[in-house]
Amino acid sequence: MKLEYECKDGLNMYILKGETVSDGIAMGNMISYERKRYHIPKLHIENTRTEVSRFVVAVAFAKGQLQTLYEQSISTIGQQDALIFGIHQMILEDEEFYNTAINLIEEQKINAEYAVYEATKQVEECFCKQGRTEDIWDVAERLFRILMGDDFAGALPKEKGILVADELFPSEVMKLDTSKVKGIVLKKGSVNSHAAILIRSRQIPAIIGGEFTDAEVGMPAILDAGEGILYVEPDADRIARMNQKKEIDDAKKQELLRLKNAKTKVHLCANVGNSEDALLALEVGADGIGLLRSEMLCMKEQVIPSEEEQFTIYKGILQKMNGKKVVIRTWDFGEDKTIKGLDTQGLRGIRFCLGHPKLFKEQLRALYRASVYGNLGILLPMISSVDEVQKVKELLEDVKKELRTEGKEFDRNINLGAMIETPAAALVSRELAKEADFFSIGTNDLSQYTLGIDRQKDSYDPHHPAIMELIRMTVKNAHAEGIPVGICGELGGDESLTKTFVGMGVDELSVTPSRLLNIRKELHGAV
Ligand code: PEP
Ligand code: MG
């Protein structure tokens, strides 16, 4: 957080800058929250059997608490976000964590509390990679409290104001009394953490930053979270301006949130790149995931996950979405999307996959195996001709045969979709619609290849009539063959086109979660 001073008329107002976690304006005195720090004693235990059962009972008790927290949270933040506490229950069931704690008790003859502490440290790295460090420690602290007979995490503030904390656990966010906590300034954490998701869900204005100090505690402040700014000791002029802004913001927010669960004729889904985004999608009330760019799962580690790893990821996302549709696009490597050491030899999307059947089959197997955990659709990128879809179908027959022989279950009605993102695909869309179960129009590449532009660098007219015409043609052809069609490229999130797309008969729009409520508003007005 950068410190900037704005000394005006001898006043001391100064500005702290951070990153937006949750939009909105909050006013009040700065109040601090510090989590109770547990000192975990390491004790020598003779009777390890009793100690193991202390641990097992504590885990069962914690699961019960989390189930209650889940059920209570549904009414405040909705079922989807409450699922975070379902994830905490899953952490308690995590084999590595559970078995490590038991082994430590048995082998090192140590007390359950210390075993939980050690086991948490050992699995922390793996959870950290998924950005879930706070979740594992939240669960660990729950176990400490149960084992040590302490029922309260720390002194959550009782007075009204803007809360300053090092970080917050998801369960702490749920315990905050929003009639008192008007805003949050976090020193540590990430805007994509579960705590951040819950803060957004509870609509508490919040920012995150690195250089905040406790010096501001007790001072009057205004948090303009959307701008990522904290005004400490604001002057009268700033207060008046912020009051005005808050009034306008509050009115807009109310209007958008009223629409979160509004039903619209056109399906409104979210585009995501990983399972954390899936939570964001649920947070804004997406009807499902219209596009999961699977290649994004390889970017962080720069490797393609194994079939088993993919299965776990896909299964996790399907479970999180709890029966809502999840469309996973098969690897779309090529051009700007590649990973170290992967030579695509100029082949993109489906052509790269068909040229690497072993790799492709691993993904299809993982997808099919995961399909029993939710409502899965598979989408093929960069399709340019009918025979590409037919070749995939042949491969899928092999995959199904293999899985049947291995006795592995899969959903027998998975829809197979084709991306329409090359002019060729749009032009042969009538024939393609006979092979595919649905279409998803990728306007990013469709614009690039139709207009001859470089989507990363060139400026172009995104509303070019040629693009509109290709979309219209695709919708018409899809409907003539009785299949639905969605738009998942950036144009889907362009609210100036929403009514045009509705008029064309588009069945679904899939947009980034941050655009979803705005498009929901447009769709609502369009029907
Ligand atoms: C598109 O091309 O519009 C699309 C959705 O795919 P991507 O942006 O991943 O290329
Ligand atoms: Mg594309």
Side-chain angles (χ1 to χ4, degrees):
M1 207 183 276
K2 203 168 134 241
L3 204 60
E4 277 182 15
Y5 289 89
E6 198 179 89
C7 292
K8 206 168 138 193
D9 305 333
L11 285 165
N12 292 328
M13 179 174 85
Y14 61 94
I15 296 170
L16 292 161
K17 284 186 180 162
E19 206 179 337
T20 305
V21 172
S22 168
D23 231 342
I25 294 169
M27 299 179 183
N29 283 353
M30 305 296 289
I31 45 175
S32 80
Y33 168 63
E34 206 173 324
R35 181 178 308 130
K36 177 172 174 176
R37 298 213 182 279
Y38 281 91
H39 169 69
I40 310 296
K42 184 178 181 181
L43 305 172
H44 176 79
I45 297 294
E46 260 324 306
N47 190 342
T48 53
R49 272 181 64 183
T50 315
E51 205 57 18
V52 167
S53 28
R54 266 188 82 223
F55 169 73
V56 172
V57 170
V59 167
F61 196 73
K63 275 196 208 164
Q65 283 185 341
L66 286 163
Q67 183 60 25
T68 312
L69 190 53
Y70 165 69
E71 281 159 16
Q72 285 168 348
S73 306
I74 291 175
S75 58
T76 20
I77 56 168
Q79 190 178 16
Q80 285 104 357
D81 289 350
L83 276 177
I84 287 174
F85 299 109
I87 294 172
H88 282 199
Q89 291 182 58
M90 271 150 62
I91 292 177
L92 285 167
E93 286 162 8
D94 181 82
E95 265 181 43
E96 203 187 334
F97 169 70
Y98 192 85
N99 292 340
T100 306
I102 291 182
N103 288 344
L104 283 165
I105 297 173
E106 286 174 340
E107 284 162 20
Q108 297 188 14
K109 290 182 175 287
I110 54 171
N111 51 325
E113 293 86 337
Y114 203 79
V116 168
Y117 172 67
E118 276 298 321
T120 308
K121 280 204 308 188
Q122 287 186 26
V123 297
E124 183 183 4
E125 198 186 329
C126 163
F127 281 86
C128 176
K129 275 190 201 144
Q130 305 160 20
R132 296 279 83 100
T133 314
E134 59 173 16
D135 292 292
I136 174 90
W137 282 106
D138 193 355
V139 170
E141 293 223 359
R142 182 172 295 282
L143 288 173
F144 295 153
R145 287 199 298 278
I146 294 167
L147 287 163
M148 295 164 111
D150 188 358
D151 66 352
F152 191 56
L156 284 170
K158 310 259 180 306
E159 66 269 53
K160 271 191 181 177
I162 299 170
L163 182 136
V164 191
D166 258 14
E167 58 173 354
L168 286 174
F169 284 154
S171 57
E172 288 168 325
V173 175
M174 286 315 294
K175 279 199 202 126
L176 295 176
D177 178 350
T178 49
S179 70
K180 304 221 162 77
V181 176
K182 297 293 170 200
I184 299 174
V185 174
L186 294 176
K187 298 183 212 168
K188 287 196 275 185
S190 129
V191 293
N192 293 319
S193 69
H194 277 154
I197 290 170
L198 293 178
I199 290 171
R200 280 192 284 278
S201 196
R202 300 200 69 196
Q203 296 169 44
I204 310 173
I207 60 172
I208 211 163
E211 289 169 26
F212 194 81
T213 70
D214 285 326
E216 287 74 28
V217 169
M219 289 187 180
I222 298 179
L223 176 64
D224 185 353
E227 297 297 323
I229 294 178
L230 180 74
Y231 299 97
V232 183
E233 297 195 289
D235 57 23
D237 179 40
R238 181 66 56 183
I239 295 173
R241 274 196 272 159
M242 283 293 130
N243 268 326
Q244 208 177 20
K245 190 171 175 196
K246 185 165 163 42
E247 258 174 48
I248 300 169
D249 264 23
D250 285 351
K252 275 194 203 152
K253 213 177 199 172
Q254 283 314 317
E255 198 194 339
L256 278 184
L257 280 166
R258 259 206 326 272
L259 295 170
K260 179 172 164 178
N261 296 317
K263 287 277 156 271
T264 44
K265 210 170 105 211
V266 173
H267 263 228
L268 185 54
C269 292
N271 293 348
V272 301
N274 55 42
S275 73
E276 282 89 62
D277 290 356
L279 286 173
L280 281 181
L282 290 171
E283 187 191 335
V284 287
D287 295 328
I289 290 174
L291 170 68
L292 183 137
R293 294 172 159 103
S294 66
E295 65 283 355
M296 292 301 161
L297 302 169
C298 313
M299 296 302 160
K300 200 164 160 201
E301 305 284 330
Q302 291 287 295
V303 284
I304 298 178
S306 67
E307 177 185 323
E308 224 37 54
E309 287 164 334
Q310 287 181 57
F311 166 69
T312 309
I313 299 170
Y314 304 149
K315 173 181 162 187
I317 294 171
L318 284 159
Q319 283 177 326
K320 263 184 206 159
M321 294 304 289
N322 209 12
K324 288 189 173 182
K325 186 178 81 166
V326 176
V327 174
I328 300 183
R329 184 175 72 185
T330 55
W331 307 129
D332 185 19
F333 292 117
E335 213 176 61
D336 56 316
K337 287 184 287 192
T338 188
I339 54 171
K340 252 187 250 147
L342 184 80
D343 182 5
T344 56
Q345 296 178 318
L347 299 175
R348 230 196 118 166
I350 197 65
R351 285 170 293 288
F352 169 79
C353 284
L354 288 171
H356 297 77
K358 185 172 169 290
L359 189 81
F360 191 27
K361 255 171 91 178
E362 268 169 19
Q363 183 174 40
L364 296 174
R365 280 176 55 95
L367 286 166
Y368 262 64
R369 287 173 52 203
S371 64
V372 288
Y373 295 94
N375 178 1
L376 174 71
I378 297 178
L379 182 60
L380 307 172
M382 279 292 138
I383 291 292
S384 61
S385 67
V386 175
D387 71 302
E388 288 162 346
V389 182
Q390 287 164 340
K391 280 187 190 140
V392 175
K393 283 181 160 178
E394 281 164 28
L395 268 184
L396 282 176
E397 285 310 313
D398 290 352
V399 165
K400 287 193 244 178
K401 212 182 283 165
E402 278 175 21
L403 294 178
R404 268 192 221 106
T405 315
E406 293 165 27
K408 295 200 164 87
E409 284 185 34
F410 58 87
D411 179 355
R412 269 135 229 273
N413 298 308
I414 302 173
N415 284 331
L416 183 67
M419 288 279 295
I420 305 294
E421 52 182 345
T422 62
L427 291 166
V428 298
S429 53
R430 182 75 193 246
E431 290 312 303
L432 274 175
K434 295 186 173 114
E435 291 292 338
D437 298 313
F438 66 96
F439 282 162
S440 190
I441 305 176
T443 52
N444 309 336
D445 279 311
L446 190 61
S447 304
Q448 152 156 289
Y449 294 114
T450 306
L451 306 176
I453 48 107
D454 179 333
R455 67 187 256 193
Q456 310 283 341
K457 302 183 193 112
D458 258 4
S459 61
Y460 66 101
D461 172 13
H463 302 177
H464 195 292
I467 306 302
M468 294 302 129
E469 192 47 42
L470 288 171
I471 296 173
R472 191 172 290 110
M473 171 196 275
T474 302
V475 175
K476 197 167 141 253
N477 286 336
H479 288 175
E481 294 300 329
I483 67 163
V485 55
I487 296 180
C488 65
E490 290 303 299
L491 280 194
D494 179 340
E495 58 223 89
S496 71
L497 288 173
T498 311
K499 289 191 175 69
T500 310
F501 292 148
V502 172
M504 286 181 188
V506 168
D507 302 287
E508 176 183 297
L509 295 173
S510 191
V511 304
T512 60
S514 61
R515 301 287 314 139
L516 202 132
L517 281 173
N518 294 67
I519 299 299
R520 176 80 79 204
K521 183 170 167 239
E522 285 302 314
L523 282 176
H524 205 64
V527 287

